[in-house]
Amino acid sequence: MPQQKDIVKIAIQMPGAYPQLIQLDQKKPLSAVIKEVCDGWNLPGPDNYALQYADGVQTYITESNRLDIKNGCILRLTKAPGRCAEDLYKGIQSSDSGVRCDSLKELASVSTDVTFAQEFISRDGHLLLVKIVEDSNESNAIMTHTLTGFMELMDHGIVSWENLSCVFIKKIASFVNAKSTDVSMQQVSLDILESMVLSSHSLFLQVKQEVTMERLIAHLQVTNPQIQTKAMALLMALLQTAGDSDRQDMFAFLNKKNLRQYIYKNIIHSSGSVQDEMAHYLYVLQSVTLNHLEPRMRTPLDSYNQEQRDVLHGLRQAAFETESENSLSHERRRSLCAKEFKKLGFSNNSNPGQDLVRTPPGLLALDTMFYFASRYPDAYSRFVLENSSREDKHECPFARSSIQLTLILCEILRIGEPPSETRSDYHPIFFSQDRLMEELFCVCIQLLNKTWKEMRATQEDFDKVMQVVREQITRTLSSKPTSLELFKNKVNALNYSEILKLRQTERLHQEETLAPPVLELKERLKPELLELIRQQRLNRLCQGTMFKKISNRRRQDKLWYCRLSPNHKMLHYGDVEEDTDNPPIENLQEKIPVADIKGLLTGKDCPHMKENKSKQNKEVLDLAFSLTYDVEEDSLNFIAPSRTDFCLWTDGLSVLLGREMSSESTRSELEILLSMEIKLRLLDLENVPIPDCAPVIPKPPSNYNFCYDFSQTEQ
């Protein structure tokens, strides 16, 4: 008795007969099932029949795929694949052209089934098709069905493409090269040639010899989108299979014919949208083209290569006028070069080539810097001189930024990655712009300098700035700009404040999608975490901070120190010497009771900013705050050493005055603490032992020989 799971309830159809509803026993041989079905319709010779899906892809049912049959499937009783293959084999050789055409048309349809394909190929049916093509005595309709059937048979991988004769390859190529060939014939011929090229290098060489690039480009210029797509597919196959030398020759030819500009104008821009298959091939063309930069990206700078050293020094000389350099002594000249390389933003100023040893980006970073300096000399000089003259730690290092930016562009454009078989996310800007990598770099390095200033960044903020720049570039490219000018306008409009707004909007949207219990948990945690931040701010005020005393005279600024008393009732302050570190409260002569403080002012509202309004720049305004006490005329005026100190002090003083903390640091820290706390609360910690005390810190190593002393290179 068969088990219930081995029984499948199905319906079987046959033209001209009532359907049979049967319970298919999956343990019973398929031949026995077919015999029972034939007996139900009184059909002799069950060996001449087979079962096939009636809907969708009409695949033959075999012992290997019968377990895929589900309850409710509708099958059809049809000719066995062997009998069908024999009948079609005979029909193809009929003297009646109508019979031949019908047989080849049916062959093109049933050849998609691997079971039939095995039967037909076992009778050398594929060789019969090859002979029809080589003789080329048939009509266009018959030839189209022949080529389609041949392509379907070869797709199963039963027969190797390399077994094909040169005569056959030449015939297929002639269908592609001919100007008046039937469109359907050309379409399937392009398909066959693509498969040949991808199957082996020897066939690639034969196809490359037979099919001219001129003709392929001509196919891209027709109005038929199917021909355009198949021609692009063959072109991509040739480019991907070619060796470096052949690929460079092909690129040179395509550039000469302005292929990318033609694709942009007639395929991308004119249609407004691109079919998925064509979009994939455009992505492949972009990927293969950009990957010619990979060797430079993977090659480190060679300090002994005179040409590379000359390019390095060319960057320095383009930024700084050194007319009398040749008259200097060797040591003086070496010192001058090191100083200028440091201003240029190299980390290793005595041997700047070491900055370009890391791969990627390797020599590609040197190429992009040199392209920017030579193509846009004014912008290059402005960038370098603007930052090299600053002495407030806010200078943006050109070389270091360029190296990292080149790496970011390589990652965004996926340079060095082989083309994916499924991706179709091409950049329209690639097809409208020559030397896309270099031109994007020139736009983005100036964007980086602009963003650096907007963020008021220092060297410690380098990674943060690069993350913002990466986001600016990826967001802009995702909008599919069609030209470099459009990209430039969009990316510059996406400034740092816009990025912060977008992040906030996305964060709020993400919060809206959270489950109500998670949102409730978040609200419950906020007061506890805000209290933690308040205590941290007050502790920071108790530690105190060194401030510069405001002076209108041109002399060395004096220093003073301010700190909150441990009981949070007094602010102690007084003058200190430069080398003083954390002076005790007893040494600070002046004090203000917290209870006497009336208000906290910031920025241009501060009294000391109003007095020196014409002399204060925006950076100083952003660091200024004042405390008013007793009467409005009395105030204690501060200029914070950094934006971080400004946020800490204004938050702490707000806590003392019973106000809400409103700095960007508070918002950022609260978000981080909330995110961490919620993740910890939602962790599945059941049966996970949590220690009561911190783990023991391991002993230090016996030596530190594994550490590298970077200070030796900073000269």
Side-chain angles (χ1 to χ4, degrees):
M1 184 75 180
Q3 295 184 11
Q4 191 65 32
K5 65 179 181 179
D6 296 328
I7 300 298
V8 183
K9 297 177 180 179
I10 60 172
I12 301 179
Q13 299 175 337
M14 188 182 75
Y18 288 107
Q20 294 187 38
L21 300 177
I22 69 168
Q23 293 187 346
L24 173 63
D25 182 1
Q26 294 284 28
K27 295 291 186 181
K28 186 181 291 186
L30 199 57
S31 57
V33 174
I34 294 172
K35 185 177 185 305
E36 289 179 3
V37 172
C38 289
D39 290 345
W41 281 315
N42 297 318
L43 296 173
D47 292 342
N48 292 323
Y49 294 93
L51 292 175
Q52 188 179 50
Y53 286 105
D55 301 321
V57 180
Q58 297 173 359
T59 309
Y60 280 105
I61 304 300
T62 63
E63 293 290 353
S64 61
N65 66 12
R66 62 183 293 175
L67 294 179
D68 295 334
I69 301 173
K70 307 297 181 186
N71 276 318
C73 276
I74 301 176
L75 304 183
R76 179 175 62 197
L77 188 69
T78 185
K79 284 193 290 187
R83 178 184 163 194
C84 182
E86 186 66 34
D87 290 347
L88 290 178
Y89 187 83
K90 293 177 180 177
I92 291 169
Q93 299 178 83
S94 171
S95 58
D96 186 332
S97 62
V99 173
R100 292 200 304 276
C101 186
D102 291 341
S103 298
L104 286 164
K105 184 177 181 179
E106 185 180 350
L107 174 71
S109 174
V110 298
S111 291
T112 56
D113 186 278
V114 65
T115 307
F116 169 83
Q118 290 169 338
E119 292 289 345
F120 191 76
I121 290 172
S122 69
R123 292 166 171 77
D124 290 334
H126 62 295
L127 298 180
L128 183 59
L129 302 183
V130 169
K131 188 174 186 310
I132 293 173
V133 173
E134 290 178 348
D135 293 343
S136 295
N137 295 325
E138 300 287 2
S139 65
N140 286 344
I142 289 181
M143 289 300 295
T144 300
H145 296 321
T146 303
L147 293 171
T148 304
F150 176 80
M151 184 65 198
E152 295 293 349
L153 290 170
M154 296 299 290
D155 266 350
H156 296 294
I158 301 169
V159 180
S160 171
W161 286 94
E162 294 191 51
N163 294 334
L164 298 173
S165 66
C166 292
V167 176
F168 179 81
I169 296 171
K170 286 178 183 292
K171 280 291 181 182
I172 299 294
S174 70
F175 299 150
V176 171
N177 289 329
K179 295 182 179 180
S180 57
T181 307
D182 180 77
V183 170
S184 299
M185 276 182 63
Q186 284 193 331
Q187 190 174 326
V188 69
S189 297
L190 286 164
D191 251 344
I192 292 172
L193 291 177
E194 180 197 0
S195 296
M196 287 182 185
V197 168
L198 294 174
S199 66
S200 76
H201 186 68
S202 60
L203 286 175
F204 156 76
L205 294 174
Q206 291 185 61
V207 173
K208 178 176 174 290
Q209 185 177 355
E210 297 297 333
V211 180
T212 65
M213 297 293 286
E214 287 274 12
R215 194 70 197 116
L216 273 183
I217 292 176
H219 283 309
L220 289 173
Q221 296 172 347
V222 301
T223 56
N224 187 310
Q226 284 77 28
I227 292 292
Q228 283 183 334
T229 301
K230 298 302 181 184
M232 180 64 80
L234 178 54
L235 180 60
M236 292 306 99
L238 289 166
L239 282 171
Q240 287 181 267
T241 313
D244 291 340
S245 178
D246 284 334
R247 189 179 295 118
Q248 290 300 328
D249 291 343
M250 292 167 73
F251 276 136
F253 180 84
L254 296 176
N255 289 334
K256 184 179 178 182
K257 295 294 182 180
N258 296 319
L259 175 65
R260 282 195 288 170
Q261 287 78 358
Y262 177 83
I263 290 173
Y264 170 75
K265 182 179 179 182
N266 295 282
I267 297 180
I268 299 174
H269 190 64
S270 64
S271 62
S273 62
V274 177
Q275 293 179 348
D276 290 343
E277 193 176 0
M278 176 59 87
H280 169 69
Y281 293 126
L282 294 178
Y283 153 77
V284 173
L285 176 59
Q286 170 189 292
S287 178
V288 173
T289 306
L290 289 174
N291 275 349
H292 83 278
L293 297 171
E294 183 180 6
R296 299 291 287 178
M297 184 185 76
R298 304 286 185 198
T299 306
L301 185 136
D302 181 2
S303 298
Y304 296 99
N305 186 302
Q306 187 61 45
E307 182 181 351
Q308 294 172 14
R309 291 170 60 187
D310 289 345
V311 173
L312 262 179
H313 283 280
L315 287 172
R316 178 182 62 83
Q317 291 165 353
F320 309 104
E321 293 184 7
T322 52
E323 295 177 3
S324 58
E325 187 177 311
N326 293 330
S327 62
L328 300 175
S329 65
H330 176 71
E331 287 300 323
R332 183 75 184 91
R333 183 181 179 185
R334 184 177 178 183
S335 174
L336 177 64
C337 289
K339 183 178 179 182
E340 290 179 346
F341 276 125
K342 184 176 182 179
K343 288 183 177 181
L344 203 54
F346 283 94
S347 301
N348 191 330
N349 48 26
S350 61
N351 185 9
Q354 288 298 312
D355 287 26
L356 294 161
V357 168
R358 184 183 62 161
T359 58
L363 286 177
L364 187 57
L366 182 62
D367 295 341
T368 52
M369 284 190 282
F370 187 74
Y371 183 88
F372 179 50
S374 55
R375 181 71 187 268
Y376 304 100
D378 292 341
Y380 170 68
S381 298
R382 186 164 55 250
F383 185 116
V384 175
L385 296 177
E386 175 186 319
N387 288 285
S388 63
S389 60
R390 302 183 70 173
E391 297 180 356
D392 54 3
K393 296 185 179 180
H394 287 274
E395 67 277 3
C396 177
F398 172 75
R400 183 185 177 194
S401 301
S402 297
I403 293 168
Q404 190 63 26
L405 177 61
T406 304
L407 179 61
I408 287 173
L409 288 173
C410 286
E411 291 171 352
I412 291 174
L413 298 175
R414 295 188 174 88
I415 296 173
E417 295 182 18
S420 165
E421 294 183 3
T422 57
R423 299 187 76 96
S424 58
D425 51 343
Y426 68 93
H427 299 296
I429 190 175
F430 167 78
F431 296 92
S432 66
Q433 181 64 52
D434 289 330
R435 305 197 71 167
L436 176 66
M437 174 68 180
E438 292 86 345
E439 290 293 341
L440 276 182
F441 173 86
C442 294
V443 172
C444 294
I445 192 65
Q446 296 175 80
L447 167 75
L448 192 153
N449 190 37
K450 172 175 167 285
T451 303
W452 185 281
K453 289 186 286 187
E454 290 170 353
M455 295 175 67
R456 296 187 293 275
T458 63
Q459 294 290 335
E460 289 76 16
D461 302 316
F462 182 83
D463 291 337
K464 183 179 178 182
V465 175
M466 298 311 298
Q467 288 174 2
V468 173
V469 171
R470 178 192 286 270
E471 190 172 343
Q472 289 171 315
I473 297 170
T474 51
R475 284 183 183 274
T476 305
L477 285 177
S478 67
S479 68
K480 301 292 184 183
T482 53
S483 68
L484 187 68
E485 190 63 30
L486 191 57
F487 171 83
K488 183 177 180 180
N489 293 337
K490 284 188 174 184
V491 81
N492 280 296
L494 195 62
N495 54 36
Y496 180 53
S497 61
E498 285 296 317
I499 290 290
L500 292 179
K501 288 178 185 176
L502 287 169
R503 288 176 176 177
Q504 179 67 14
T505 303
E506 290 168 359
R507 191 180 297 119
L508 291 173
H509 178 71
Q510 188 177 10
E511 288 180 0
E512 289 172 1
T513 60
L514 292 174
V518 177
L519 291 174
E520 185 180 344
L521 174 61
K522 193 170 186 178
E523 290 304 314
R524 286 186 180 184
L525 290 172
K526 269 186 182 179
E528 178 185 341
L529 296 177
L530 279 171
E531 182 59 31
L532 184 66
I533 296 173
R534 289 190 193 98
Q535 291 302 319
Q536 188 271 339
R537 298 298 194 258
L538 292 174
N539 290 339
R540 185 67 182 80
L541 265 61
C542 289
Q543 293 175 11
T545 303
M546 186 92 70
F547 297 93
K548 284 185 179 181
K549 183 169 285 190
I550 291 114
S551 173
N552 291 329
R553 298 179 182 178
R554 292 189 177 182
R555 56 188 177 85
Q556 186 73 26
D557 289 336
K558 289 187 177 180
L559 301 174
W560 65 289
Y561 203 89
C562 186
R563 66 190 303 174
L564 180 67
S565 63
N567 61 7
H568 301 170
K569 292 185 178 181
M570 288 284 182
L571 271 178
H572 296 262
Y573 64 97
D575 294 346
V576 293
E577 297 298 326
E578 188 173 353
D579 55 352
T580 305
D581 184 24
N582 197 15
I585 286 181
E586 295 77 18
N587 293 357
L588 304 176
Q589 303 85 1
E590 308 290 337
K591 61 183 178 181
I592 300 174
V594 171
D596 291 347
I597 299 174
K598 304 299 181 184
L600 171 64
L601 305 174
T602 60
K604 61 184 179 181
D605 296 329
C606 298
H608 57 313
M609 292 296 103
K610 291 179 179 178
E611 294 169 6
N612 304 295
K613 190 172 182 180
S614 61
K615 298 181 180 180
Q616 305 303 339
N617 58 35
K618 186 177 184 302
E619 189 173 324
V620 174
L621 281 172
D622 289 339
L623 299 176
F625 62 97
S626 298
L627 290 174
T628 58
Y629 56 96
D630 288 332
V631 291
E632 288 297 326
E633 287 76 17
D634 290 334
S635 64
L636 185 61
N637 303 317
F638 300 78
I639 300 285
S642 67
R643 187 68 186 175
T644 301
D645 287 306
F646 173 86
C647 293
L648 290 171
W649 271 84
T650 53
D651 281 345
L653 293 170
S654 295
V655 173
L656 291 174
L657 295 173
R659 300 178 184 176
E660 292 293 326
M661 298 178 292
S662 58
S663 73
E664 63 262 28
S665 293
T666 295
R667 292 193 295 271
S668 174
E669 291 170 22
L670 178 62
E671 191 62 39
I672 292 170
L673 290 171
L674 275 172
S675 176
M676 291 174 58
E677 190 67 24
I678 287 175
K679 288 175 182 176
L680 287 171
R681 296 287 181 100
L682 296 179
L683 278 176
D684 184 8
L685 297 178
E686 189 176 354
N687 299 323
V688 177
I690 300 175
D692 296 326
C693 56
V696 179
I697 299 174
K699 294 180 179 180
S702 57
N703 63 70
Y704 293 89
N705 295 337
F706 55 87
C707 292
Y708 180 75
D709 187 2
F710 284 95
S711 63
Q712 298 298 320
T713 61
E714 299 288 343
Q715 299 177 8

